[in-house]
Amino acid sequence: MPTDITSTSSPKIAIVTGGSRGLGRNTVLNLAKRGVDSIITYHSNRAEADQVIASVEAAGRRAVALRLDVGDTASFDQFVQDVQRALGELGASRFDYLVNNAGTSLHNAFDSTTEDELDTVYRVHFKGVFFVTQKLLPFINDGGRIVNISSGLARFAFPGSSAYASMKGAVEVLTRYMAKELGARGIAVNTVAPGAIATDFSGGMVRDNPEVNKRVADMTALGRVGEPDDIGPMIAALLSDDNRWINGQRIEVSGGMVL
């Protein structure tokens, strides 16, 4: 059983964007195992979010689901109000951890990518991360933690990922600046960069396409594709006090992909 990362009688609270599915869901469930309550966001599938809430409650913790489109900054003021209400439901006025996980994929060659496609990945993967974090800063406890999710594609290059990977690279730079500027409040900010993971991301390409699955496994030192259970526990552990001195870092969790 993982060590409980709650240090007082009041449980820690995490906000995990995109927490209704994939890596976000796995992170929320692993935080629950460590005694952390969560506010999760979903884009459109409330039923999936409700399933996560039920799983968290089965683990003895609490969770609240809020709708959020991370690509729509005009909705962020309302989202902050929703967060304040959700915190009240959890018996708190502030939270401790923010995991900027929500995102979409884009696979298109550099010379075919349209302006609208580039604008979309920019709004979701960079602008959204920048401003949702900024809006939530007044409500995160001093000494809190922020994790921004990047991608192995910011280190190695696969054709068709130029726009998506570039935004993830921007998030990695942003992470270092956030760590520097928020350090006075004791807030640690890090990037976690997963490799190819078998989820429904990108239409389940890695999970459901045997050819893609084998290609990824063949280029990974540990000989297989990643699973959500390879990522969620790592993020939960990174948020714990055991890793309080890790700050401003990019941590790739890819099983040794493209070494």
Side-chain angles (χ1 to χ4, degrees):
M1 177 68 68
T3 302
D4 191 321
I5 58 179
T6 59
S7 59
T8 68
S9 58
S10 298
K12 301 289 190 182
I13 297 173
I15 296 179
V16 181
T17 67
S20 63
R21 50 197 280 264
L23 301 185
R25 176 184 185 276
N26 196 277
T27 297
V28 170
L29 297 183
N30 276 280
L31 285 169
K33 291 177 183 178
R34 291 170 172 265
V36 178
D37 294 337
S38 291
I39 296 171
I40 68 171
T41 77
Y42 66 97
H43 181 261
S44 57
N45 194 329
R46 176 69 201 216
E48 281 187 335
D50 287 340
Q51 290 173 3
V52 176
I53 291 173
S55 296
V56 169
E57 290 176 347
R61 301 311 318 168
R62 296 181 296 169
V64 179
L66 302 176
R67 188 184 180 282
L68 174 66
D69 179 354
V70 293
D72 179 15
T73 52
S75 71
F76 288 179
D77 285 338
Q78 179 61 55
F79 175 65
V80 169
Q81 293 180 32
D82 294 340
V83 165
Q84 290 177 276
R85 285 195 293 271
L87 287 171
E89 292 179 38
L90 296 174
S93 59
R94 301 168 75 84
F95 68 98
D96 304 279
Y97 312 127
L98 173 62
V99 181
N100 284 307
N101 164 76
T104 57
S105 64
L106 174 66
H107 298 282
N108 204 358
F110 168 74
D111 59 3
S112 301
T113 300
T114 67
E115 185 174 354
D116 284 345
E117 288 173 330
L118 183 64
D119 284 345
T120 295
V121 292
Y122 163 69
R123 289 194 304 269
V124 170
H125 289 284
F126 184 76
K127 185 178 181 180
V129 170
F130 191 108
F131 285 108
V132 81
T133 304
Q134 186 186 86
K135 294 284 188 181
L136 290 172
L137 274 180
F139 304 98
I140 187 168
N141 281 317
D142 290 353
R145 315 264 198 274
I146 298 172
V147 170
N148 297 322
I149 302 300
S150 180
S151 170
L153 291 166
R155 175 177 64 85
F156 46 78
F158 287 165
S161 297
S162 61
Y164 172 82
S166 294
M167 296 308 133
K168 291 304 191 181
V171 164
E172 294 184 5
V173 173
L174 175 63
T175 294
R176 295 195 294 273
Y177 275 86
M178 290 168 63
K180 186 73 170 179
E181 295 191 26
L182 301 181
R185 291 183 54 190
I187 296 173
V189 189
N190 291 289
T191 296
V192 170
I197 308 296
T199 68
D200 60 0
F201 194 69
S202 296
M205 179 175 63
V206 175
R207 182 190 61 195
D208 301 333
N209 186 317
E211 181 181 344
V212 173
N213 191 292
K214 183 178 185 305
R215 190 179 337 143
V216 170
D218 288 346
M219 66 178 67
T220 302
L222 291 180
R224 63 171 176 83
V225 302
E227 298 288 344
D229 275 339
D230 296 318
I231 310 298
M234 181 271 162
I235 296 172
L238 181 61
L239 293 172
S240 76
D241 285 344
D242 290 344
N243 290 299
R244 62 188 173 275
W245 206 237
I246 299 176
N247 192 24
Q249 302 303 303
R250 177 193 190 272
I251 304 169
E252 184 169 314
V253 193
S254 67
M257 191 173 173
V258 195
L259 295 178

